Amino acid sequence: MHQLTALDLSGFDTRNVIAMDNMLGGLTFGFTSHLNRLAFGEHFHFVWNIGMPFVPTNDTFTGYWRNVGTGTVNNPQGEYIFTSVALVENFDGATMADTWVWQTVANANFTESMPTPVIRAENGRLHVEYAAIPTGASVANIRHEFFLDNDLITTSPSGGGTTHFYNYNLLNVFGRNHFTAGETYAIRVRVIDASGEFLPSEFSNTALYTPRQFPTPIISLSDGIITVTDELLADGNAWIYLNGIRTGIVARATTIVNGVAWDNTFDLLHYDSRFVNNESSFTNPMIPGATYTIQVRRTITNSPFLSSELSNPVQFTRPNGYQHEIIYSPNDIAVINAIITNNGLNATIANPADGSFVPADWTFASWSPPTSHRRISELHLGSQSLTGNLDVRGLNSLVGLVASNNQLTSVNVTGLPALISLDVRYNNMTSTANVIGYSNPPTTNFQFVPQNAIPETGGGGGYTPQETPEQPADTTTTETGETGEILDLIEDPVSEVDPLSPEALDTITDADSAVDAAQNAVDHLLGDDVTLTSDDLDLLAQFLENAIARAASMEIDGNLIIVNRPNVEALQDTAQEVVEQVEAMLEAYDIELNRYLNTNVFFVTTDFAQVDVRVEPSAMLTDVDQVWIRTPYYGLSFSMEFIENNAHSPLYIHITSENGDFTAQYTLPATLGVGIGILNSPVLNAPIPQNRQRLQAYRIEFSRPVSEPVRVSVPPVAGDRTFQTLKSDDGRVVSSRYNQVTGFIDARVQHSGRYVVVENQVDFTDILHRSAEMQNAIRVLASQGILEGVAPLQFSPDDPINRAQFAAIVVRMLGIHDENADGGFVDVSRNDWFFSFAGSARQHGLMEGTGNNVFSPTMNMPNEQLVVLGARILRTEARFRTPANPQQELQQRFTDANELANWSVDDLALAARENLIVPRADGRFAPRDTITRGDAALMLYRVYRRIW
């Protein structure tokens, strides 16, 4: 049967056949793919679908069967044209008895048009109707093109409906944004055949449509209960708005009833399935003590109504008390409940140092199932009249505990792996034996005194760093003694402070010292009339922005940093003053930076184990560009754009410093016997094996998802800092870079998690014969998780780079990967590996596609597109300036400068000045040439170095 090509069934009478499965389905049609000629008689008909083989679709055959009619087998002229499925469904022996053959492209007829539809618009629905479809047309291939006032708006998907009648919801087809209530719109439809067998229909008649606005609801508020009343009840949703931002679904209605008022009430204080914020994190977005403007809008579906206008505004101040957005682990809840129960604590005093109050009853503090549990890492219980034994076992994330100025007889901290600081001074304990299970006494602030002793000023708040023990009396010899000689050697300055180093930044205390530091940096770079390169100017700009921030600083007492309009405005005048003086100094030296200086402000705290940053929307009303936060051992920063895009209500960023695992190898220096880098930190004074380093870990949590990253700055570890990066517990490598100005590792962090600094060298065997700069670029970007090879140890630097690969690289480099991002491209499937990268690139305005919602993932990147995108990243991420004379900049570098498109000149000139463009031997830019993976890596590495 496999080679069967022709079958004559003209003598078959199948009028009494009940099923054909055994007659034709398995034995005949099921085992052949070459059957291209069939003959049927007038008494033949098909029974059920017997799996008739499909006609191939290629350069020879159209995919259809055609009857011979008045023609021949090689030149059929019959009127019937069917797919295999349609032939089985539609064959009628009385009228279609004939010989049927595979239709060839040469015999295909593409001149017949699809039927012209008749349309009407009624009650918000569009009815599309036509008499019949052409013979041979497939219902599954029918689509409708919808025109609004002569503009093509959208096309319906294939299939659905019947052969002659369709019913569409107008608001779903055209989208609500295309309509304004009360205006009349002309609607037309055209029918097309997706298979390309038939011409599109003529335009339908014109249907007029006038959408109506749903009545605006009226709301009132009393005792935290909001009442919503409508004049009309309709199918759809009611949405609540806080300060103009849509926050959650309030309710669904189910019927349309004219003239009947809809009255419903909702509790604004408690979580409810009808009150869910738009991040779907099952939390109430309101902060205690904050005042909100509340409005309601009805969004109606399956009806002729547009959404209502926003209702009247009402003001609501949420009372202080339990914050629903803070979700604690059940284990932490049990421990704190036990402390409160055993000691009768005032619930407003037991503070986990995250800006919230511990409620008296934690029963409702953890909703199920939360997306992630918050864990207490720092607990302040000083001066709380605690008695007996304080048992905090179970607080597995506890880093620091303050329980001084009480009457405790013992403290049980057994099995707390993260605990690194403990203050139990001024209690009724007599020895270290009263602290059970704590293995690192050197970092513990013990001072056992009688119960009636007078505590030192300030009580038990905060951590006290270890003081250097005094020298024993018998070792303090004269200056001529051995010990004196060693001390003199240590006290002598080793070298002069580098004007561009972190030590130079540490000398800045105000505007004057900031300008002095800037002056020293410029003098150092200029040297003996040296011309400053782009790299010099970039380094100088980074140093100057750090100097500006140091001058405009505010010291915070405690670990809660509030970034709001009053606090930022208190610093912005100083920052602007330093910017003006620095710019005047640069002008006097005839130095023009390649980018604009950011106006930065600085918040400094001495706490480090746990820090909470509360970012309030009011901060974006100030005149600064960036906000920087610094502790003694780590920091973070974010732009005003970050606040504007993420802080539609207060946002918390929570950072906890923890000890990580023993992983990295290091060698103690022969001199002085101290560690390297962060090993000198008081945080890590715990005993460490001679040849291993305990990595410092940082737990970073956002109170809700954010749309772009913050910059986190942490100390490096031992090893080559060029390849060091932040890595999360789940194995994700975060785009990072060693900052030679600050001496820290800067990383772009967008997702909550636990991170450590690791050295992550990645290498490839097929790049060894490339330039040293290209090899370094590929290795560095790969170490940061930005680049990936095509196979283990294989990078393929000479292969072209396509749009999907480029989108993934840029998204990783900028730290903006949203795994759920959907760009809406018609040629990108959710199953494609690059789906979320294409979506993230589009969401952030980096890559819009090649037209008509097409992304073209496999299209190779032309030189011009890649370089232009690199230049635009420099503008958006680091405020780089366009050269004063772009055309001249290009003509000096490229022999084909006059051939470049006008739209790209500014971007290409910026890229040329910043040395992003990999030069060609013939001196041309060649905008439409395909760029290789190696050259793309080199260009993107030059971008990467400048955007921090």
Side-chain angles (χ1 to χ4, degrees):
M1 289 292 184
H2 288 282
Q3 301 302 319
L4 183 67
T5 59
L7 186 62
D8 188 347
L9 301 175
S10 58
F12 276 55
D13 184 344
T14 61
R15 286 175 293 182
N16 296 320
V17 174
I18 298 175
M20 286 186 174
D21 291 20
N22 294 327
M23 183 173 74
L24 292 176
L27 296 176
T28 305
F29 292 157
F31 290 92
T32 182
S33 59
H34 296 83
L35 185 64
N36 57 42
R37 185 192 304 181
L38 284 168
F40 300 114
E42 62 179 341
H43 298 307
F44 184 91
H45 73 258
F46 288 98
V47 182
W48 307 109
N49 188 345
I50 59 174
M52 189 169 163
F54 291 107
V55 180
T57 302
N58 50 41
D59 293 338
T60 304
F61 299 103
T62 66
Y64 290 85
W65 291 91
R66 186 170 188 174
N67 64 315
V68 171
T70 59
T72 65
V73 169
N74 295 324
N75 184 22
Q77 297 296 322
E79 62 178 310
Y80 303 111
I81 303 173
F82 291 123
T83 65
S84 293
V85 173
L87 179 58
V88 173
E89 291 177 349
N90 295 291
F91 182 81
D92 177 13
T95 58
M96 300 179 185
D98 200 346
T99 298
W100 293 74
V101 296
W102 288 356
Q103 182 189 37
T104 63
V105 172
N107 296 123
N109 179 5
F110 296 101
T111 60
E112 187 174 357
S113 297
M114 296 298 289
T116 300
V118 176
I119 67 172
R120 66 185 188 276
E122 297 175 353
N123 295 322
R125 307 195 72 81
L126 182 66
H127 304 274
V128 182
E129 187 172 2
Y130 37 87
I133 62 172
T135 302
S138 170
V139 175
N141 287 331
I142 292 177
R143 297 184 184 182
H144 296 109
E145 293 181 332
F146 300 96
F147 291 77
L148 193 65
D149 290 340
N150 298 320
D151 293 324
L152 175 63
I153 302 300
T154 188
T155 302
S156 71
S158 298
T162 68
T163 59
H164 67 283
F165 181 77
Y166 291 77
N167 189 349
Y168 296 99
N169 184 313
L170 274 165
L171 298 182
N172 289 345
V173 168
F174 290 101
R176 300 170 188 274
N177 293 334
H178 283 102
F179 293 114
T180 300
E183 294 189 6
T184 300
Y185 297 88
I187 298 172
R188 294 191 298 171
V189 171
R190 186 166 62 172
V191 185
I192 61 174
D193 172 42
S195 71
E197 290 289 325
F198 302 92
L199 297 174
S201 73
E202 300 292 333
F203 283 110
S204 68
N205 58 301
T206 300
L208 299 180
Y209 173 58
T210 305
R212 288 179 283 166
Q213 189 83 51
F214 189 81
T216 300
I218 299 173
I219 64 173
S220 59
L221 180 67
S222 177
D223 297 328
I225 304 297
I226 185 173
T227 302
V228 184
T229 304
D230 288 334
E231 297 175 3
L232 177 68
L233 178 62
D235 183 28
N237 298 325
W239 297 89
I240 195 166
Y241 284 69
L242 297 184
N243 296 340
I245 304 297
R246 192 174 83 176
T247 302
I249 300 175
V250 176
R252 279 193 64 86
T254 57
T255 59
I256 300 177
V257 182
N258 288 303
V260 177
W262 174 61
D263 189 344
N264 216 332
T265 59
F266 309 100
D267 187 347
L268 295 177
L269 291 172
H270 299 98
Y271 167 78
D272 190 283
S273 61
R274 298 164 299 182
F275 191 82
V276 182
N277 74 9
N278 55 2
E279 283 86 23
S280 299
S281 59
F282 298 96
T283 61
N284 191 321
M286 290 189 288
I287 304 300
T291 298
Y292 297 88
T293 299
I294 301 176
Q295 295 175 282
V296 168
R297 169 179 287 164
R298 293 296 306 276
T299 301
I300 311 305
T301 58
N302 299 320
S303 77
F305 297 103
L306 298 177
S307 300
S308 72
E309 301 292 340
L310 282 175
S311 70
N312 58 301
V314 295
Q315 299 293 316
F316 174 66
T317 302
R318 183 171 178 184
N320 284 317
Y322 171 54
Q323 294 187 44
H324 289 262
E325 70 273 20
I326 295 179
I327 303 172
Y328 292 95
S329 71
N331 195 52
D332 286 9
I333 293 170
V335 173
I336 296 298
N337 269 334
I339 295 173
I340 293 173
T341 301
N342 293 337
N343 292 278
L345 295 184
N346 183 333
T348 63
I349 297 177
N351 186 355
D354 60 4
S356 68
F357 296 114
V358 175
D361 180 359
W362 283 52
T363 304
F364 300 103
S366 177
W367 299 106
S368 179
T371 54
S372 62
H373 280 123
R374 194 167 198 169
R375 297 178 180 274
I376 293 177
S377 57
E378 183 177 337
L379 190 59
H380 290 260
L381 295 173
S383 304
Q384 292 295 305
S385 301
L386 302 179
T387 61
N389 173 47
L390 176 63
D391 191 343
V392 294
R393 289 177 297 171
L395 299 181
N396 292 329
S397 295
L398 193 66
V399 175
L401 172 64
V402 175
S404 55
N405 298 325
N406 288 293
Q407 290 84 47
L408 294 171
T409 56
S410 63
V411 176
N412 195 335
V413 289
T414 302
L416 302 186
L419 191 63
I420 59 176
S421 184
L422 177 63
D423 187 347
V424 292
R425 294 173 294 174
Y426 311 114
N427 275 288
N428 198 21
M429 294 187 286
T430 58
S431 71
T432 58
N434 297 118
V435 179
I436 303 170
Y438 195 55
S439 60
N440 295 324
T443 65
T444 307
N445 216 332
F446 290 109
Q447 185 175 347
F448 299 100
V449 296
Q451 181 177 351
N452 61 353
I454 301 175
E456 64 182 23
T457 303
Y463 299 136
T464 304
Q466 282 295 106
E467 297 178 358
T468 304
E470 295 182 0
Q471 280 275 31
D474 59 338
T475 62
T476 54
T477 60
T478 64
E479 293 184 2
T480 57
E482 180 180 357
T483 304
E485 292 173 358
I486 294 176
L487 292 176
D488 288 343
L489 177 62
I490 295 175
E491 291 172 359
D492 285 343
V494 176
S495 62
E496 185 179 329
V497 173
D498 182 349
L500 287 164
S501 67
E503 290 78 11
L505 292 174
D506 289 339
T507 65
I508 299 173
T509 57
D510 54 18
D512 290 340
S513 57
V515 175
D516 289 342
Q519 179 82 57
N520 293 336
V522 171
D523 291 339
H524 175 74
L525 280 175
L526 286 176
D528 299 325
D529 297 327
V530 175
T531 301
L532 299 183
T533 65
S534 292
D535 287 343
D536 292 334
L537 292 174
D538 189 55
L539 179 64
L540 178 60
Q542 290 185 56
F543 181 85
L544 295 178
E545 287 179 343
N546 275 272
I548 293 165
R550 295 294 183 96
S553 64
M554 175 186 294
E555 293 187 5
I556 304 299
D557 183 15
N559 54 18
L560 176 61
I561 300 171
I562 300 176
V563 180
N564 57 16
R565 183 175 184 177
N567 288 340
V568 174
E569 284 185 339
L571 304 174
Q572 71 180 18
D573 288 347
T574 301
Q576 290 170 348
E577 175 189 348
V578 177
V579 170
E580 292 172 1
Q581 293 189 48
V582 167
E583 289 178 343
M585 181 264 293
L586 294 174
E587 185 177 356
Y589 277 89
D590 198 23
I591 296 174
E592 182 179 1
L593 296 177
N594 290 349
R595 61 186 180 90
Y596 299 97
L597 285 176
N598 283 318
T599 303
N600 308 320
V601 297
F602 212 41
F603 293 91
V604 182
T605 175
T606 56
D607 282 351
F608 59 85
Q610 174 177 291
V611 171
D612 283 285
V613 181
R614 173 172 167 154
V615 185
E616 298 186 357
S618 64
M620 65 186 177
L621 302 176
T622 60
D623 294 327
V624 303
D625 297 309
Q626 293 184 350
V627 175
W628 294 11
I629 313 293
R630 185 188 178 192
T631 78
Y633 306 111
Y634 57 82
L636 77 154
S637 60
F638 44 83
S639 65
M640 282 298 127
E641 286 79 8
F642 171 87
I643 299 177
E644 184 175 353
N645 293 335
N646 293 294
H648 48 77
S649 61
L651 169 73
Y652 282 93
I653 306 173
H654 176 83
I655 306 180
T656 305
S657 176
E658 305 173 354
N659 276 338
D661 300 327
F662 289 107
T663 55
Q665 300 290 325
Y666 79 102
T667 303
L668 286 173
T671 60
L672 300 182
V674 297
I676 300 173
I678 62 170
L679 296 178
N680 294 319
S681 166
V683 180
L684 296 174
N685 282 336
I688 296 176
Q690 176 69 16
N691 66 334
R692 305 192 70 193
Q693 171 184 335
R694 183 188 287 276
L695 293 179
Q696 187 70 2
Y698 305 90
R699 186 173 299 279
I700 302 167
E701 296 177 350
F702 300 94
S703 61
R704 62 169 180 274
V706 294
S707 61
E708 57 187 273
V710 298
R711 183 175 69 181
V712 176
S713 302
V714 297
V717 296
D720 190 339
R721 298 175 181 183
T722 304
F723 299 101
Q724 291 184 18
T725 185
L726 247 63
K727 191 173 186 178
S728 64
D729 278 353
D730 60 7
R732 286 183 295 111
V733 176
V734 179
S735 178
S736 309
R737 189 203 69 158
Y738 174 65
N739 187 328
Q740 68 182 89
V741 172
T742 63
F744 277 37
I745 301 295
D746 292 337
R748 292 169 177 257
V749 175
Q750 188 180 7
H751 303 287
S752 297
R754 183 175 177 268
Y755 300 86
V756 295
V757 179
V758 296
E759 185 177 338
N760 187 46
Q761 292 205 39
V762 179
D763 208 347
F764 303 96
T765 58
D766 59 349
I767 63 173
L768 299 178
H769 299 294
R770 299 299 181 269
S771 69
E773 185 186 8
M774 181 179 290
Q775 290 185 52
N776 183 66
I778 293 170
R779 288 168 177 149
V780 170
L781 295 183
S783 73
Q784 303 303 326
I786 297 170
L787 284 183
E788 291 182 350
V790 299
L793 300 178
Q794 183 180 353
F795 183 71
S796 297
D798 294 326
D799 286 354
I801 186 169
N802 63 37
R803 289 173 53 82
Q805 293 169 349
F806 181 78
I809 293 170
V810 171
V811 165
R812 293 190 196 108
M813 181 173 68
L814 299 181
I816 55 173
H817 186 205
D818 178 356
E819 294 178 353
N820 298 312
D822 185 352
F825 296 112
V826 297
D827 58 343
V828 177
S829 164
R830 188 170 289 274
N831 294 326
D832 292 329
W833 71 264
F834 50 83
F835 169 82
S836 58
F837 291 109
S840 298
R842 188 172 203 178
Q843 284 184 1
H844 288 267
L846 294 171
M847 301 177 73
E848 289 295 334
T850 56
N852 297 324
N853 253 12
V854 174
F855 182 65
S856 303
T858 60
M859 178 187 293
N860 292 333
M861 286 289 289
N863 199 14
E864 184 175 45
Q865 285 186 20
L866 189 140
V867 173
V868 164
L869 284 171
R872 291 178 180 175
I873 291 172
L874 289 185
R875 276 204 186 86
T876 57
E877 296 294 316
R879 303 183 67 201
F880 272 73
R881 309 171 188 257
T882 300
N885 192 331
Q887 194 66 47
Q888 181 180 346
E889 187 82 31
L890 293 172
Q891 288 175 347
Q892 291 174 349
R893 298 172 185 267
F894 306 111
T895 58
D896 58 350
N898 293 329
E899 302 173 17
L900 303 179
N902 290 333
W903 64 267
S904 65
V905 167
D906 286 354
D907 293 316
L908 294 179
L910 169 57
R913 186 193 65 200
E914 296 306 315
N915 195 31
L916 301 187
I917 302 173
V918 180
R920 292 169 53 102
D922 60 6
R924 296 187 306 120
F925 174 64
R928 281 163 289 284
D929 280 10
T930 298
I931 194 166
T932 66
R933 286 169 53 86
D935 285 345
L938 186 53
M939 189 279 283
L940 289 170
Y941 175 67
R942 294 171 181 176
V943 173
Y944 157 85
R945 292 174 54 212
R946 288 171 163 80
I947 60 173
W948 294 85

